[in-house]
């Protein structure tokens, strides 16, 4: 048995217990660096999802249960949960990197630590938020306006940041008194058993968090389940549209964090020195091998300095060590699966067919015969209307698009179906902020980019509906009741 396997690997965490799955169907994630199987865990079937929803329902509905607890008491549980996750940090980082190819150095920065911080942040908000206020009524008497938890949350996450994206949902749900059924993605599932162990060790009450690893079928069953009150989804735009249609029919609240193709606008005064901006530029454009929704993968460069920008981006891409995700020196690991590698290679072929100029990469790295690796790849002279610039590739592939002046840069940045992230690179942060404010996107950074737990994160246009993080992220887990007295 692989060391990554939980001692509970034959069971599912439902209703605060490790229960036998309905069938013997298994999920066997593969290490994308080596193509070796990592061990097997049960695949949740519809019956398991039903049991998880029933447990979450009971925990939510029971008199004196989680929803009725004082928020400060829930906060204490959340802080213990954060501490138990922190105690498992190295095991979680290793499990994530082994499954999705995230370089271990990045997993240690983002997939551990950050989830605990988000849990603690929402525990703090649970303590300080006024969930009820009384107003004078216009017609006499008073009105008590109450913010009440929405109920049972069906939370569905992708494989690229399984810990962070689950916590973006679990934390505000727990803070408000909701209960959760989490469905991790089959590609990154082993780490979810460590989350369950942490919840159990922290004394999270039975049924407040239930975990059903599975594929689309389990996800679809959860979305339309009559016992679910709200859906929180992170994943691709096509899956988000399918889920939104179901939720629309059911009049079920839904938040959707979807794909992106964000612009990185390099202004003509930017300092194009790798020592100065290299690290932040790489972080903003290639983190997690390009398997990150908010990356600035369309780099917009002024004609006056076009060649310089192309040279900088090309040199940075070439400089990144590619290798096994568990190697501490690796900055670009493999793609999550053979299928994802094929998809990315398909986009590279399309880029070449469209006439874009390849400046580096485009193939599989030498010396890495096993594993789903693609070289960091840069295309120059890319037309913003081309497939390469319009579709989310989700791999280490950047395109550099020329622009004439700032108005043209803003027009090109906004000429996209998506609007999730983005960056502006400049020697003058005020000028950068002025340009950033003109970009139609949910989040944008000047000379850096990292979603901050204190600020809402989410997309404009086809990048999604609603926001996670910040106090705003709690609203989706609350509904309002007016009580006339
Ligand atoms: P995906 O949409 O294929 O799957 C995401 C999750 O949804 C998985 O757990 C999957 O099993 C489930 N699922 C798929 N179809 C479903 C359906 N019809 N009903 C219910 N559940 C369903 O996405 P993926 O390939 O796993 O992840 C990559 C995508 O996620 C990219 O498009 C990326 O941009 C996006 N993403 C967005 C954000 C964000 O915050 N906006 C963050 C990370 C990833």
């Amino acid at each position: 048995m692989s060391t990554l396997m939980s001692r509970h690997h034959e069971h599912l965490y439902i209703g605060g217990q490790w229960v036998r799955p309905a069938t013997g169907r298994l999920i066997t994630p593969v290490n994308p660096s080596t193509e070796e199987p990592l061990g097997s865990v049960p695949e949740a079937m519809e019956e398991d999802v039903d049991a998880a929803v029933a447990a979450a329902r009971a925990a939510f509905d029971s008199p004196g249960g989680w929803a009725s607890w004082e928020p400060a008491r829930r906060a204490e549980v959340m802080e213990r949960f954060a501490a138990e996750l922190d105690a498992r940090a190295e095991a979680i980082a290793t499990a994530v990197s082994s499954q999705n190819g995230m370089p271990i150095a990045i997993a240690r920065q983002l997939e551990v630590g950050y989830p605990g911080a988000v849990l603690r942040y929402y525990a703090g908000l649970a303590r300080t938020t006024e969930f009820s206020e009384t107003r004078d009524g216009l017609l006499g008497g008073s009105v008590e306006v109450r913010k009440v938890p929405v109920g049972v949350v069906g939370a569905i996450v992708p494989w690229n940041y399984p810990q962070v994206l689950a916590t973006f949902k679990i934390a505000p749900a727990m803070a408000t008194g909701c209960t959760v059924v989490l469905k991790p993605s089959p590609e990154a599932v082993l780490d979810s058993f460590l989350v369950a162990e942490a919840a159990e060790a922290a004394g999270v009450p039975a049924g407040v968090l239930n975990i059903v690893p599975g594929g689309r079928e389990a996800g679809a069953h959860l979305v339309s389940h009559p016992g679910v009150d709200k859906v929180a989804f992170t994943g691709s735009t096509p899956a988000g549209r399918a889920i939104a249609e179901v939720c629309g029919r059911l009049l079920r609240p839904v938040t959707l964090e979807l794909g992106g193709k964000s612009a990185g606008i390099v202004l003509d005064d930017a300092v194009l020195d790798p020592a100065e901006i290299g690290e932040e530029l790489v972080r903003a454009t290639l983190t997690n091998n390009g398997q990150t929704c908010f990356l600035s993968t369309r780099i917009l460069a002024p004609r006056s300095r076009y060649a310089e920008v192309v040279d900088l981006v090309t040199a940075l891409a070439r400089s990144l060590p590619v290798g096994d995700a568990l190697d501490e020196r690796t900055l670009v690991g493999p793609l999550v699966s053979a299928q994802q590698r094929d998809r990315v290679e398909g986009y590279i072929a399309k880029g070449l067919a469209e006439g874009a100029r390849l400046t580096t990469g485009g193939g599989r790295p030498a010396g890495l015969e096993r594993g789903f690796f693609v070289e960091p790849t840069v295309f120059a002279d890319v037309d913003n209307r081309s497939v390469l610039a319009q579709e989310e590739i989700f791999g280490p592939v950047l395109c550099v698009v020329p622009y004439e002046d700032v108005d043209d840069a803003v027009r090109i940045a906004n000429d996209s179906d998506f609007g999730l992230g983005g960056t502006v690179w400049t020697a003058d942060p005020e000028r950068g902020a002025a340009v950033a404010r003109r970009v139609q996107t949910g989040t944008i950074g000047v000379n850096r980019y990292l979603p901050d737990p204190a600020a809402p994160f989410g997309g404009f246009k086809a990048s999604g509906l609603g926001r996670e993080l910040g106090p705003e992220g709690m609203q989706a887990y609350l509904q309002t009741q007016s009580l006339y007295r």
Side-chain angles (χ1 to χ4, degrees):
M1 189 173 69
S2 122
T3 51
L4 296 177
M5 301 291 288
S6 156
R7 65 200 156 90
H8 298 291
H9 69 277
E10 291 177 352
H11 295 94
L12 295 174
Y13 184 68
I14 292 176
Q17 296 183 330
W18 294 96
V19 301
R20 287 227 153 269
T23 71
R25 282 264 297 263
L26 296 174
I27 299 173
T28 305
V30 166
N31 182 335
S33 298
T34 63
E35 304 184 33
E36 300 288 340
L38 291 163
S40 298
V41 294
E43 177 175 353
M45 299 285 111
E46 292 192 355
E47 300 90 312
D48 301 305
V49 174
D50 292 344
V53 173
R57 202 57 284 152
F60 184 78
D61 293 332
S62 66
W66 181 248
S68 71
W69 283 24
E70 282 299 318
R73 198 173 154 209
R74 290 199 296 264
E76 282 169 23
V77 175
M78 293 170 70
E79 284 159 355
R80 290 204 303 271
F81 188 14
E84 292 293 342
L85 285 176
D86 289 349
R88 291 161 177 76
E90 193 52 27
I92 291 175
T94 307
V96 170
S97 290
S98 305
Q99 294 172 101
N100 71 3
M102 181 185 298
I104 186 79
I106 293 172
R108 286 193 188 122
Q109 281 169 27
L110 297 180
E111 278 284 278
V112 299
Y114 198 114
V118 171
L119 274 165
R120 290 188 183 94
Y121 172 71
Y122 277 104
L125 283 183
R127 287 201 177 88
T128 54
T129 302
E130 296 290 346
F131 289 98
S132 148
E133 73 166 84
T134 300
R135 301 176 193 164
D136 290 337
L138 277 183
L139 306 176
S142 64
V143 185
E144 185 187 336
V145 180
R146 306 175 63 225
K147 295 280 186 189
V148 296
V150 70
V152 172
V153 176
I156 298 177
V157 293
W159 44 261
N160 60 339
Y161 290 86
Q163 293 285 315
V164 164
L165 297 171
T167 317
F168 283 10
K169 296 158 185 60
I170 294 169
M174 287 180 77
T176 51
C178 294
T179 59
V180 178
V181 177
L182 172 70
K183 192 205 77 66
S185 172
E187 293 87 351
V189 76
L190 303 180
D191 54 297
S192 74
F193 284 71
L194 299 170
V195 173
E197 286 180 11
E200 189 182 32
V204 173
V208 170
L209 176 63
N210 311 273
I211 303 184
V212 285
R216 266 159 208 243
E217 302 73 21
H221 189 64
L222 181 61
V223 167
S224 61
H225 200 291
V228 168
D229 299 304
K230 178 218 157 38
V231 173
F233 173 78
T234 300
S236 62
T237 295
R241 284 188 205 282
I243 289 169
E245 279 177 21
V246 175
C247 290
R249 183 161 43 78
L250 296 170
L251 297 179
R252 180 163 294 172
V254 59
T255 35
L256 302 169
E257 301 285 356
L258 309 177
K261 187 79 188 185
S262 304
I265 305 175
V266 181
L267 295 183
D268 56 8
D269 65 352
V271 184
L272 297 177
D273 175 359
E276 190 82 19
I277 67 165
E279 199 178 325
E280 288 297 344
L281 192 57
V282 166
R283 206 197 306 272
T285 56
L286 285 163
T287 295
N288 196 17
N289 326 329
Q291 301 177 134
T292 307
C293 53
F294 54 65
L295 295 178
S296 298
T297 49
R298 274 188 303 146
I299 296 174
L300 312 191
R303 283 246 186 247
S304 58
R305 302 187 68 191
Y306 189 71
E308 276 177 87
V309 175
V310 171
D311 288 350
L312 172 71
V313 175
T314 303
L316 288 173
R318 260 192 213 136
S319 72
L320 300 173
V322 182
D324 190 311
L326 291 179
D327 185 331
E328 318 246 341
R329 292 160 302 179
T330 293
L331 283 179
V332 175
L335 298 175
V336 70
S337 62
Q339 190 191 8
Q340 188 65 16
R341 180 184 56 189
D342 291 350
R343 210 172 145 260
V344 171
E345 288 180 337
Y347 276 114
I348 292 171
K350 250 180 227 158
L352 291 170
E354 281 175 333
R357 177 164 60 92
L358 186 71
T359 66
T360 188
R364 297 183 183 181
L368 290 168
E369 274 65 45
R370 287 182 77 73
F372 310 127
F373 294 94
V374 171
E375 289 176 309
T377 298
V378 177
F379 281 101
D381 307 342
V382 176
D383 177 349
N384 193 59
R385 290 312 307 163
S386 66
V387 169
L388 206 57
Q390 287 293 320
E391 296 190 12
E392 183 181 51
I393 298 175
F394 231 54
V397 181
L398 301 178
C399 46
V400 191
V401 180
Y403 71 80
E404 303 300 334
D405 55 22
V406 169
D407 286 347
D408 194 35
V410 170
R411 180 192 64 74
I412 296 171
N414 292 336
D415 180 15
S416 170
D417 289 341
F418 298 110
L420 185 58
T423 42
V424 183
W425 303 89
T426 172
D428 177 353
E430 282 311 314
R431 183 177 177 225
V435 173
R437 289 188 191 101
R438 297 175 62 192
V439 181
Q440 294 156 3
T441 187
T443 62
I444 187 160
V446 177
N447 295 331
R448 71 184 186 100
Y449 185 97
L450 189 63
D452 191 302
F457 175 79
F460 285 18
K461 303 191 266 186
S463 290
L465 290 177
R467 293 292 178 271
E468 294 187 316
L469 297 182
E472 292 83 357
M474 229 159 57
Q475 295 311 316
Y477 296 85
L478 292 166
Q479 53 190 339
T480 310
Q481 183 187 54
S482 293
L483 174 58
Y484 315 118
R485 303 159 59 140

